[in-house]
Amino acid sequence: MEETEESNANKKCTPKRSFRGRTNPHDHQLLQYSNPFRFSNQNHYQSYPALLPLPPPIPLQLTATPPLPQNQSCRSKTHLHKPSWLQNNPPRATSSDTQVSVLTVLPASEDTQRRASSPFRGENGRKVMGATQALVAARRPDSGGVEGPVISLLANHFLVQFDSLQRIFHYDVEISPNPSKEVARMIKRKLVEENSVELSGALPAFDGRKNLYSPVEFQNDRLELFISLPIPTSKSLSPSGDLQEKHPQLKLFRINIKLVSKFDGKELNSYLSKEADDWIPLPQDYLHALDIVLRESPTEKCVPVGRSLYSSSMGGTKDIGGGAVGLRGFFQSLRPTQQGLALNVDFSVTAFHESIGIIPYLQKRVEFLRDLSQRKTRGLTGEERKEVEKALKNIRVFVCHRATVQRYRVHSLTEETTENLWFEDRDGKILRLVNYFKDHYGYDIQFRNLPCLQISRSKPCYLPMELCMICEGQKFLGKLSDDQTARILKMGCQRPRERKAIIDGVMRGAVGPTSGSQEREFKLHVSREMTRLNGRVLQPPKLKLGEGGHVRDLIPSRHDRQWNLLDSHVFEGTCIERWALISFGGTPDQKSNIPRFIIQLSQRCEQLGILLNKNTIMSPQFEPIQLLNNVSLLESKLKKIHTAALNNLQLLICIMERKHKGYADLKRIAETSIGVVSQCCLYQNLGKSSSQFLANLALKINAKVGGCTVALYNSLPSQIPRLLRPDEPVIFMGADVTHPHPLDDFSPSIAAVVGSMNWPAANKYVSRMRSQTHRQEIIQDLGAMVGEILDDFYQQVSKLPKRIIFFRDGVSETQFYKVLQEELQAIRVACCRFPSYRPPITFAVVQKRHHTRLFRNESNHPSSTGNQLSEENIPPGTVVDAVITHPREFDFYLCSHWGVKGTSRPTHYHILWDENHFTSDEVQKLVYSLCYTFVRCTKPVSLVPPAYYAHLAAYRGRLYLERSEFTTFTSSTCALSRAAPPKTTPLPKLSENVKKLMFYC
């Protein structure tokens, strides 16, 4: 019988049922050999894992409350505690002004309000008002920017032309008994072959679950069909002892097909036209159907993971160590753009579990089991058992002691060793597990002191490790090590010309989206050529540096827009009188270099205009690295150092022998318990002591204790005089949410918000961090954090900001409007704490995790020059706001950095709300100028600094909860399904000494 892990979860599982069957006593020899990936599709059934599912489509437009009139009072129920240290208090709203009955988004203009209250069409095509109103994103204010010289580019978007009159018929498919996705696709193929008349000769597209899309209508709206598949269920022994296949049994499946809906492409065509009304929503049904159609052929031949597809035909597999292999593939997604519907195709690489036996897998994955095959009597300690369980949890396996198509998912490990496991069979007889395998299969279990795999949450279903193999095609579940990450990155690191050639090969190849017949069936035409377009290259801003107390101007003129500080000072250097150094581990030779390092660092700081006392407040402290494992002793040691500095330590430099998990405890103790900023580095880097290393260290130290590296020579008000003025301060805010590891079902997510504290320089930021519900993307306490940052801003500038420009990182397109609706309201509520304070807000989403790539168009240059240019990345400042951007919304791609390795990824900025009425040129110039003010380096960064800092602050908050004495994964807390997460653990409070500093950078 064919059984899937889905069906197994709902049926009773008994030891006898799990182990019964015929086998060859020599089957265990299969464990000695690796089972390499075989990802090509085959027409016969294989006992491989089901293909991984795509995420379901999520509507973009979400309902919102209608906007309030501009003069309506805004009242908040949110209670924000005033910081006890606040001296220069901003004016607060009275109690009658600070209560809100309805939270709404205030519009900026009549035009915005008109668009926000525009009608939508219901299912019957009528215009609907009131409850179905949606918050409409800002529309592009002009035809795009014009500043900067033009550059000819190619984008990895392929134009998809569709017949808007072509109808698509959507059918719901129900298959019984419920098969795996792989078997479901086999059923679909045979269904089409054997029932051409009933299906009107159609070649429909199938998503592997329940949705079938056809270009023609079937003969009946409801069909009930039956398909028989040959499913191998057992093998028999020949007289020679070899395994022989029995005649495969036929398994019967019932398929019920029901017409759900029918639609054409008229609405999508209307949406893509520039003349369309703003309130027309994106027709998700037709777009999703076309997406399934174009994925049909690749999914038949590749292993899908999310929106990417992987195949060994694209370069084979590569061992990256630790029981993982890297596999090449491609990403594809349909996108509405200004040129029409486009297929975004990109090169992709990811890690899979190696399909080998559990024992050799553990030898590769877990350091302390490297010699397991030579020590078969070895057992596991309590901590070792937890680590092994963590490595194996949720991995799908199949057994090799008997022939079966069943797959099992590892839930946990047994508490007892295999030697001591007993179970009750169907007849109520108590059997010893090792004797059972000897009697029934003639197999003598070797690793008797190891636990068994437990494959059921509630029933005792035991599988000996040595008889299990890992199913192929499973994305690697664990966190990749540094070495594994480096190997994966190397696999995916292609220069522009090579990456472009791979993408072009996918579009013309045998596994790509155009490799099947679906394009012809659904009257589509997918271009095989990348989109040609023009971008512009923004000019770099003039910068201010320090030079012996005098201001020096500089225009980054190098092709990579970097500048150096060899003969210059940082713009604002700090004076560090009281600091200390502590060492964790290290060889005697390494420790002997500490005095020389202190002198070199002090000298390099002096060259950069930073005053670092050449004498520490106490002699360097040398501790064993094991101290990082003991939180209480570590805290005691750090407090002694702080006390020696009369509780006024400015900086603590920590030098470590190697990366250590105690780094998280060190940061938490220093910044929350003691109140001192710290700078960590490794001994291996100290050995180099290059001028560049010392300079980078000095820049980070200077920023953490209150200095800044660079400022804009021409201030933002002088660059954007229409909107910005020197006497009307503006605050730049950034926000991000970081989530726990995919296998962690319990740890909270961490939200962080940062805000600029000086104007017009806007290069110093304070932060606020909160823990929140597990995997919650909406920032739950945003109003409180924004309110606290506004308090800080008022204290520093003596004014509330005239405008708020908010950059939100880490939001996927499916969440745009939910984030806008809820978080824009939260910002408004924070502003309502102050009487009559209604600053215009610009809300922009910043995306780095997208798959649009830009290449130089070498065809516009002579052959020799073109070939040379095609090897290079696009220059810093390259901006694109036409052709491949949204048909009507306000977005653009900006590559603000120079790509040293691989192919540059431009950052996508999507302005969802704009009450400041920026033009395209103004907002692009603003963002690009800010990218030059990042404090840690002397080059423009790829991400606008407020978003970058928010990401760093959220990561720091994550460290606060990662105490070394705790572990996320234990047998008692981990569940196979995602249960309701426990109560969120709050973050420890920051010390007042570091609260206003950029300690997180």
Side-chain angles (χ1 to χ4, degrees):
M1 291 288 289
E2 150 65 10
E3 294 175 325
T4 67
E5 57 199 41
E6 290 84 0
S7 60
N8 289 340
N10 298 321
K11 67 188 295 184
K12 292 184 179 180
C13 183
T14 65
K16 184 174 181 180
R17 188 169 189 172
S18 299
F19 300 133
R20 188 174 296 279
R22 298 178 182 177
T23 187
N24 185 334
H26 304 288
D27 280 355
H28 67 276
Q29 294 176 358
L30 293 173
L31 288 171
Q32 306 300 321
Y33 305 99
S34 171
N35 184 10
F37 280 90
R38 295 185 295 276
F39 287 128
S40 58
N41 182 64
Q42 300 184 24
N43 292 326
H44 61 277
Y45 183 80
Q46 295 175 314
S47 55
Y48 296 159
L51 298 179
L52 301 178
L54 281 171
I58 302 175
L60 289 180
Q61 274 72 17
L62 299 171
T63 58
T65 53
L68 287 174
Q70 185 70 38
N71 58 357
Q72 183 166 335
S73 64
C74 182
R75 307 175 178 222
S76 173
K77 288 182 180 178
T78 305
H79 180 63
L80 299 174
H81 296 285
K82 182 175 70 174
S84 58
W85 46 264
L86 194 59
Q87 301 296 326
N88 193 10
N89 293 323
R92 299 300 177 91
T94 62
S95 59
S96 62
D97 292 330
T98 57
Q99 295 180 359
V100 167
S101 56
V102 179
L103 299 183
T104 56
V105 176
L106 298 181
S109 65
E110 293 180 3
D111 177 66
T112 307
Q113 184 174 351
R114 177 189 62 79
R115 289 189 279 116
S117 59
S118 298
F120 277 76
R121 294 190 183 276
E123 293 182 0
N124 57 2
R126 298 179 184 176
K127 293 184 178 180
V128 184
M129 298 292 291
T132 58
Q133 291 174 355
L135 195 63
V136 178
R139 184 161 187 166
R140 195 178 306 279
D142 45 41
S143 58
V146 297
E147 291 192 11
V150 172
I151 181 173
S152 182
L153 301 169
L154 296 172
N156 60 338
H157 287 218
F158 298 85
L159 184 63
V160 178
Q161 295 174 314
F162 62 95
D163 183 353
S164 62
L165 300 178
Q166 171 64 49
R167 302 180 80 189
I168 293 180
F169 299 87
H170 178 201
Y171 292 90
D172 178 80
V173 179
E174 185 176 337
I175 304 175
S176 180
N178 185 35
S180 66
K181 285 192 68 177
E182 183 179 277
V183 174
R185 290 195 173 278
M186 293 173 59
I187 293 171
K188 178 259 179 182
R189 283 197 297 271
K190 194 168 183 183
L191 182 77
V192 173
E193 292 171 3
E194 297 181 353
N195 298 275
S196 178
V197 174
E198 289 83 354
L199 303 185
S200 304
L203 296 177
F206 182 47
D207 70 350
R209 292 193 201 88
K210 293 178 65 65
N211 298 297
L212 192 72
Y213 297 96
S214 171
V216 297
E217 192 166 9
F218 297 161
Q219 281 196 340
N220 296 300
D221 291 349
R222 290 177 179 268
L223 295 172
E224 184 178 58
L225 303 170
F226 294 88
I227 294 294
S228 296
L229 285 182
I231 305 294
T233 57
S234 65
K235 297 179 182 180
S236 60
L237 286 173
S238 69
S240 63
D242 295 327
L243 281 173
Q244 291 182 331
E245 290 279 356
K246 279 188 173 181
H247 292 295
Q249 296 181 0
L250 292 178
K251 183 169 184 177
L252 187 66
F253 294 91
R254 183 179 65 188
I255 301 98
N256 288 312
I257 301 175
K258 180 178 66 175
L259 180 65
V260 176
S261 61
K262 51 184 92 169
F263 36 75
D264 56 35
K266 292 178 182 177
E267 287 189 2
L268 179 59
N269 194 53
S270 176
Y271 181 88
L272 294 171
S273 67
K274 295 183 179 179
E275 292 76 23
D277 292 333
D278 285 356
W279 51 263
I280 294 180
L282 178 65
Q284 288 284 351
D285 49 6
Y286 199 80
L287 188 65
H288 181 64
L290 293 183
D291 186 66
I292 297 298
V293 168
L294 290 175
R295 294 178 68 85
E296 175 74 8
S297 181
T299 305
E300 292 282 345
K301 305 163 186 174
C302 305
V303 174
V305 178
R307 302 202 68 82
S308 295
L309 300 111
Y310 297 91
S311 170
S312 56
S313 66
M314 293 186 63
T317 61
K318 181 177 181 181
D319 190 345
I320 62 171
V325 293
L327 195 66
R328 294 178 173 88
F330 61 95
F331 167 93
Q332 73 171 66
S333 176
L334 274 177
R335 300 183 61 82
T337 66
Q338 289 191 41
Q339 68 171 334
L341 200 59
L343 187 66
N344 180 203
V345 178
D346 191 25
F347 175 62
S348 180
V349 174
T350 198
F352 286 80
H353 290 286
E354 189 175 0
S355 184
I356 55 177
I358 290 291
I359 296 297
Y361 176 80
L362 288 176
Q363 289 182 261
K364 291 186 173 187
R365 178 83 186 268
V366 185
E367 182 68 34
F368 54 81
L369 294 180
R370 290 280 189 257
D371 60 348
L372 182 58
S373 59
Q374 285 79 42
R375 300 176 58 194
K376 295 184 178 180
T377 59
R378 189 194 197 286
L380 299 177
T381 66
E383 287 302 314
E384 288 175 341
R385 183 186 169 281
K386 289 179 182 178
E387 189 165 344
V388 170
E389 184 174 83
K390 175 181 172 182
L392 296 179
K393 188 173 177 62
N394 288 335
I395 291 179
R396 295 195 304 269
V397 299
F398 64 91
V399 295
C400 58
H401 64 281
R402 60 188 177 91
T404 178
V405 298
Q406 274 188 287
R407 294 178 298 275
Y408 308 93
R409 190 182 293 272
V410 179
H411 176 257
S412 61
L413 300 183
T414 59
E415 295 290 341
E416 294 289 338
T417 63
T418 305
E419 176 82 30
N420 298 324
L421 279 176
W422 297 72
F423 66 95
E424 182 179 350
D425 67 5
R426 287 182 176 178
D427 301 325
K429 187 177 180 181
I430 303 299
L431 300 176
R432 189 183 181 199
L433 188 138
V434 292
N435 294 339
Y436 174 84
F437 274 87
K438 182 70 172 177
D439 297 339
H440 284 71
Y441 301 109
Y443 181 77
D444 190 14
I445 293 177
Q446 304 294 309
F447 297 88
R448 299 189 172 203
N449 290 328
L450 294 179
C452 278
L453 305 181
Q454 168 67 20
I455 57 165
S456 171
R457 187 180 313 142
S458 55
K459 302 288 185 179
C461 295
Y462 309 139
L463 293 179
M465 289 186 185
E466 61 199 270
L467 297 179
C468 295
M469 292 192 69
I470 295 174
C471 300
E472 64 182 359
Q474 296 183 78
K475 188 177 185 299
F476 191 80
L477 297 176
K479 184 177 181 181
L480 294 176
S481 67
D482 291 345
D483 288 342
Q484 288 174 319
T485 301
R487 294 186 183 108
I488 279 288
L489 290 177
K490 188 175 181 180
M491 284 183 68
C493 186
Q494 279 77 29
R495 295 299 290 172
R497 179 191 289 182
E498 184 182 355
R499 192 181 196 96
K500 179 181 178 299
I502 293 174
I503 296 171
D504 287 337
V506 169
M507 293 304 296
R508 295 179 172 89
V511 299
T514 61
S515 59
S517 60
Q518 286 73 30
E519 188 178 0
R520 180 183 68 254
E521 284 286 311
F522 288 82
K523 296 183 181 179
L524 302 175
H525 179 265
V526 183
S527 174
R528 271 61 168 178
E529 302 293 330
M530 286 192 179
T531 297
R532 299 172 183 268
L533 70 157
N534 287 331
R536 294 171 290 109
V537 181
L538 304 181
Q539 295 304 301
K542 183 185 281 191
L543 305 176
K544 276 196 291 192
L545 301 173
E547 187 176 24
H550 303 285
V551 173
R552 175 190 172 214
D553 64 289
L554 167 76
I555 297 179
S557 56
R558 284 176 38 165
H559 72 286
D560 58 5
R561 298 302 184 231
Q562 293 193 42
W563 66 95
N564 64 61
L565 295 170
L566 290 178
D567 53 354
S568 302
H569 291 174
V570 295
F571 178 68
E572 184 181 339
T574 54
C575 180
I576 306 170
E577 289 286 347
R578 299 169 304 282
W579 68 285
L581 184 146
I582 185 171
S583 162
F584 298 98
T587 65
D589 287 344
Q590 288 175 329
K591 295 176 183 178
S592 66
N593 289 327
I594 292 296
R596 180 170 61 89
F597 164 71
I598 292 176
I599 294 173
Q600 290 177 330
L601 180 61
S602 178
Q603 291 174 344
R604 193 69 183 97
C605 284
E606 186 177 356
Q607 294 167 2
L608 295 172
I610 305 165
L611 299 180
L612 179 67
N613 193 334
K614 294 182 180 180
N615 299 310
T616 55
I617 55 104
M618 61 191 302
S619 61
Q621 303 293 295
F622 296 97
E623 300 292 339
I625 197 166
Q626 289 76 18
L627 181 64
L628 292 171
N629 292 325
N630 192 315
V631 177
S632 58
L633 287 181
L634 177 63
E635 182 167 1
S636 175
K637 182 64 181 179
L638 297 185
K639 283 184 176 179
K640 286 180 181 178
I641 296 175
H642 191 50
T643 302
L646 302 179
N647 294 327
N648 196 16
L649 192 66
Q650 292 175 273
L651 171 70
L652 178 64
I653 293 183
C654 308
I655 305 175
M656 298 182 181
E657 176 184 316
R658 64 178 185 275
K659 291 184 178 180
H660 194 281
K661 60 184 180 181
Y663 170 85
D665 289 310
L666 176 65
K667 289 294 183 181
R668 175 181 51 80
I669 293 168
E671 293 159 5
T672 64
S673 177
I674 297 176
V676 61
V677 294
S678 58
Q679 179 60 54
C680 297
C681 52
L682 299 175
Y683 266 115
Q684 64 187 57
N685 295 326
L686 247 63
K688 304 169 188 177
S689 289
S690 66
S691 177
Q692 186 62 55
F693 167 72
L694 293 171
N696 291 341
L697 204 60
L699 292 183
K700 291 186 68 174
I701 290 172
N702 185 56
K704 288 181 178 183
V705 296
C708 66
T709 304
V710 68
L712 299 173
Y713 189 88
N714 297 316
S715 66
L716 292 172
S718 66
Q719 294 188 50
I720 310 175
R722 188 181 69 87
L723 292 178
L724 309 182
R725 292 176 175 79
D727 59 341
E728 294 182 350
V730 175
I731 189 170
F732 298 99
M733 289 187 172
D736 191 17
V737 178
T738 177
H739 301 293
H741 188 271
L743 287 183
D744 183 347
D745 291 336
F746 297 93
S747 297
S749 294
I750 305 296
V753 182
V754 303
S756 59
M757 287 292 111
N758 54 342
W759 176 258
N763 56 8
K764 294 183 179 180
Y765 290 77
V766 298
S767 66
R768 292 295 184 273
M769 300 170 289
R770 299 284 197 279
S771 59
Q772 61 182 41
T773 304
H774 176 77
R775 301 204 184 284
Q776 171 67 45
E777 183 56 49
I778 304 297
I779 301 179
Q780 295 173 333
D781 209 12
L782 180 62
M785 289 190 280
V786 170
E788 291 176 19
I789 290 175
L790 289 176
D791 282 336
D792 287 355
F793 188 92
Y794 187 89
Q795 189 181 35
Q796 293 291 328
V797 184
S798 300
K799 289 182 180 179
L800 287 169
K802 182 74 173 179
R803 305 176 191 274
I804 296 176
I805 301 174
F806 194 92
F807 294 98
R808 179 65 157 88
D809 194 11
V811 179
S812 64
E813 291 178 348
T814 56
Q815 297 173 312
F816 273 9
Y817 302 101
K818 182 174 178 61
V819 166
L820 174 64
Q821 181 185 15
E822 298 192 25
E823 295 187 0
L824 188 56
Q825 286 182 346
I827 298 171
R828 282 293 188 203
V829 168
C831 294
C832 288
R833 301 172 65 201
F834 314 105
S836 304
Y837 183 50
R838 308 287 186 273
I841 299 170
T842 295
F843 192 105
V845 168
V846 184
Q847 292 177 300
K848 282 289 286 183
R849 293 185 177 180
H850 62 82
H851 287 270
T852 294
R853 298 293 186 274
L854 301 172
F855 306 89
R856 295 175 186 260
N857 187 0
E858 59 188 75
S859 63
N860 285 9
H861 302 276
S863 58
S864 60
T865 308
N867 290 336
Q868 183 179 358
L869 286 176
S870 68
E871 288 290 344
E872 292 186 358
N873 275 303
I874 54 177
T878 300
V879 63
V880 170
D881 57 7
V883 185
I884 62 171
T885 49
H886 196 278
R888 65 187 66 145
E889 294 178 8
F890 192 3
D891 69 323
F892 60 93
Y893 293 94
L894 172 63
C895 183
S896 51
H897 69 295
W898 173 252
V900 179
K901 294 182 179 181
T903 303
S904 294
R905 187 203 312 253
T907 300
H908 186 216
Y909 296 88
H910 202 123
I911 317 299
L912 294 183
W913 195 262
D914 185 24
E915 296 172 343
N916 289 295
H917 305 294
F918 282 101
T919 65
S920 293
D921 279 325
E922 287 171 340
V923 73
Q924 290 162 14
K925 182 189 296 184
L926 171 69
V927 170
Y928 188 46
S929 295
L930 287 174
C931 287
Y932 280 80
T933 64
F934 191 66
V935 294
R936 297 204 313 196
C937 55
T938 56
K939 61 183 178 182
V941 290
S942 62
L943 192 66
V944 67
Y948 203 142
Y949 294 141
H951 175 77
L952 294 176
Y955 174 72
R956 180 56 54 84
R958 167 75 52 210
L959 284 182
Y960 289 168
L961 296 183
E962 290 181 357
R963 296 188 176 185
S964 60
E965 65 221 39
F966 297 108
T967 179
T968 305
F969 302 95
T970 64
S971 58
S972 60
T973 59
C974 277
L976 184 60
S977 62
R978 295 190 183 277
K983 187 176 180 180
T984 300
T985 304
L987 294 179
K989 291 186 178 180
L990 285 171
S991 167
E992 294 297 332
N993 293 347
V994 302
K995 200 171 186 179
K996 296 184 181 181
L997 298 174
M998 297 177 67
F999 60 91
Y1000 50 83
C1001 70

